């Protein structure tokens, strides 16, 4: 796979370039809005070409693009890549609105291109083990879930996330989308309605830096989630509770294959083993296979639309105080 990177980003540098190379890919080019940054980034990461013109990158010898620019750029860049016949692996949130996300995904579908969303968590061995326990009935009928995803945003990532709503800043577009995708992955159904309260407790300027929300799933099961940029010591986790057992996982809402998963039933508590592969390599590997006509990406365009729809409903609920029905944009 010959990759073009749209966005000279941290996530590409820290995880994705390595994942592309580890899965046999060639990182051919990178786009930045600044020619100097494009050249510096290309040199630093051993990439042949640095561009500041999207058409030049799209006109090069590439099969697919990985879009990891700031969130407001995803939509126009994805539409241009699709028009140029490139497969798209896009960062979350797919767009600034559900309608734009639907347009992107439909355009890729119409053009016969693979479109995927880089939701890394469903690629983790821990989450695959949790999903398998639920799917095999080990905890019975699902009653509820709780997601703990309140973290401390490291200084090098604070930038646009904490002060630029136009670029898609705020903890809701940043983290609620991941939690929505993870809950959908585990429970195999979509949230129907949400309520939420958000705060700006020291880090966010003009955007929320913490939010708590409660979701009602289509089955009636309830989900509570907590996302934040300001919690240094809270730790992460997810619990899923059923009529025959509970799953308690700690340290698993992360970018690395870490944490513990425990199954609790009438028989007592047992540690659940899980695979420790690299999350991003699995995401890139499945995308690469899908482009080659084998299987499907781990999170496709519909998954990206749905995670954005839940986050948009949480944002609307948090600002209005109302109970909000999730609008999936007709998908
Ligand atoms: P960055 O802030 O690192 O990069 C985003 C854009 O900011 C870049 O495309 C670049 O624009 C600009 N930029 C970056 N560094 C500098 C700099 N030093 N000076 C000037 N401009 C700079 O963003 P992230 O990597 O944190 O996030 C990018 C996307 O990836 C977002 O959509 C985010 O939601 C997503 N993400 C997903 C993760 C996942 O696990 N799935 C994890 C982290 C992020 P330009 O290209 O124009 O130079």
């Amino acid at each position: 796979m010959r990759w073009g990177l749209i966005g000279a980003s941290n996530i590409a540098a820290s995880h994705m370039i390595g994942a592309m190379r580890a899965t046999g890919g060639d990182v051919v080019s990178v786009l930045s809005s600044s020619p100097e940054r494009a050249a510096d980034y290309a040199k630093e990461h051993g990439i042949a070409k640095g561009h500041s013109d999207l058409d030049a990158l799209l006109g090069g010898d590439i099969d697919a693009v990985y879009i990891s620019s700031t969130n407001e750029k995803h939509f126009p860049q994805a539409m241009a890549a699709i028009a140029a016949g490139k497969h798209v692996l896009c960062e979350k949130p797919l767009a600034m609105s559900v309608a734009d996300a639907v347009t992107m995904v439909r355009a890729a579908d119409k053009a016969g291109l693979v479109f995927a969303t880089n939701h890394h968590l469903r690629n983790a061995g821990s989450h695959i083990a949790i999903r398998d326990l639920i799917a095999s009935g080990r905890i019975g009928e699902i009653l509820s879930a709780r997601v703990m995803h309140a973290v401390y945003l490291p200084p090098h990532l604070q930038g646009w996330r904490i002060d630029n709503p136009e670029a898609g800043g705020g903890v809701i577009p940043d983290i609620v989308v991941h939690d929505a995708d993870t809950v959908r992955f585990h429970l195999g159904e979509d949230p129907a309605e949400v309520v939420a309260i958000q705060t700006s407790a020291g880090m966010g300027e003009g955007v929320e830096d913490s939010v708590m929300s409660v979701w009602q799933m289509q089955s009636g099961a309830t989900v509570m989630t907590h996302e934040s940029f300001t919690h240094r010591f809270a730790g992460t986790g997810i619990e899923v509770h059923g009529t025959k057992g509970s799953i308690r996982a700690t340290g698993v809402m992360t970018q690395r294959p870490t944490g513990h998963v425990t199954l609790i039933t009438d028989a007592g508590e047992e540690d659940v083993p899980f695979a420790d592969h690299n999350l991003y390599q699995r995401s890139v590997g499945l995308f690469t296979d899908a482009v080659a006509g084998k299987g499907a990406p781990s999170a496709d365009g519909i998954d990206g639309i749905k995670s954005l729809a839940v986050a948009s409903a949480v944002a609307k609920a948090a600002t209005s105080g109302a109970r909000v029905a999730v609008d999936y944009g007709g998908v």
Side-chain angles (χ1 to χ4, degrees):
M1 176 82 83
R2 295 167 302 173
W3 288 95
L5 307 183
I6 297 184
S9 67
N10 271 301
I11 181 69
S14 58
H15 293 280
M16 294 300 285
I17 293 172
M20 289 164 192
R21 289 177 174 152
T23 50
D26 184 11
V27 183
V28 172
S29 52
V30 60
L31 178 85
S32 167
S33 55
S34 137
E36 294 77 31
R37 250 183 71 69
D40 291 349
Y41 193 97
K43 189 169 172 209
E44 185 181 347
H45 299 290
I47 299 168
K49 289 190 185 117
H51 296 284
S52 57
D53 176 50
L54 179 58
D55 290 338
L57 178 133
L58 293 173
D61 246 357
I62 56 171
D63 307 302
V65 297
Y66 166 59
I67 301 178
S68 65
S69 49
T70 45
N71 301 336
E72 86 290 7
K73 293 181 179 165
H74 295 177
F75 173 67
Q77 291 170 335
M79 293 304 288
I82 293 163
K86 309 301 176 192
H87 303 282
V88 177
L89 174 56
C90 189
E91 270 305 342
K92 41 51 68 169
L94 287 189
M96 300 291 279
S97 73
V98 173
D100 282 354
V102 170
T103 301
M104 290 152 78
V105 173
R106 287 199 174 136
D109 199 37
K110 199 170 166 204
L113 297 164
V114 175
F115 186 103
T117 311
N118 201 32
H119 278 308
H120 61 294
L121 289 169
R122 59 164 72 205
N123 289 285
S126 56
H127 287 286
I128 292 168
I130 294 168
R131 193 271 321 265
D132 289 350
L133 286 172
I134 295 168
S136 64
R138 292 294 299 279
I139 64 169
E141 298 281 310
I142 302 301
L143 302 168
S144 65
R146 304 175 195 163
V147 184
M148 283 65 71
H149 207 157
V151 296
Y152 188 76
L153 189 66
H156 72 283
L157 295 183
Q158 288 180 13
W160 55 272
R161 276 186 178 78
I162 62 165
D163 65 3
N164 193 345
E166 285 76 36
V171 79
I172 295 176
D174 202 48
I175 306 186
V176 173
V177 285
H178 280 313
D179 295 345
D181 184 66
T182 305
V183 167
R184 289 186 59 251
F185 179 65
H186 289 319
L187 272 48
E189 59 169 333
D190 299 328
E193 291 189 315
V194 307
V195 292
I197 290 180
Q198 68 181 30
T199 60
S200 216
M203 197 179 279
E205 285 178 37
V207 299
E208 75 292 345
D209 59 25
S210 292
V211 63
M212 288 187 177
S213 58
V214 177
W215 313 343
Q216 182 137 53
M217 305 299 286
Q218 291 157 332
S219 65
T222 45
V223 176
M224 58 184 264
T225 83
H226 181 200
E227 295 84 8
S228 178
F229 288 155
T230 63
H231 286 51
R232 288 177 193 268
F233 309 109
T236 71
I238 185 166
E239 298 172 2
V240 187
H241 304 286
T243 51
K244 292 187 193 160
S246 287
I247 299 164
R248 189 181 302 135
T250 55
V252 295
M253 308 305 286
T254 71
Q255 298 180 304
R256 301 187 188 280
T258 56
H260 291 96
V261 179
T262 308
L263 173 67
I264 306 121
T265 63
D266 279 339
E269 294 201 2
E270 63 180 270
D271 283 344
V272 177
F274 56 84
D276 64 354
H277 55 257
N278 180 299
L279 284 61
Y280 294 93
Q281 277 179 32
R282 185 172 184 276
S283 174
V284 171
L286 290 175
F287 178 84
T288 305
D289 288 349
V291 168
K294 288 176 279 173
S298 59
D300 63 16
I302 300 293
D303 294 315
I305 293 169
K306 290 194 170 182
S307 66
L308 174 59
V310 176
S312 302
V314 167
K316 198 169 166 191
T319 47
S320 66
R323 183 172 175 135
V324 173
V326 183
D327 179 356
Y328 290 101
V331 301

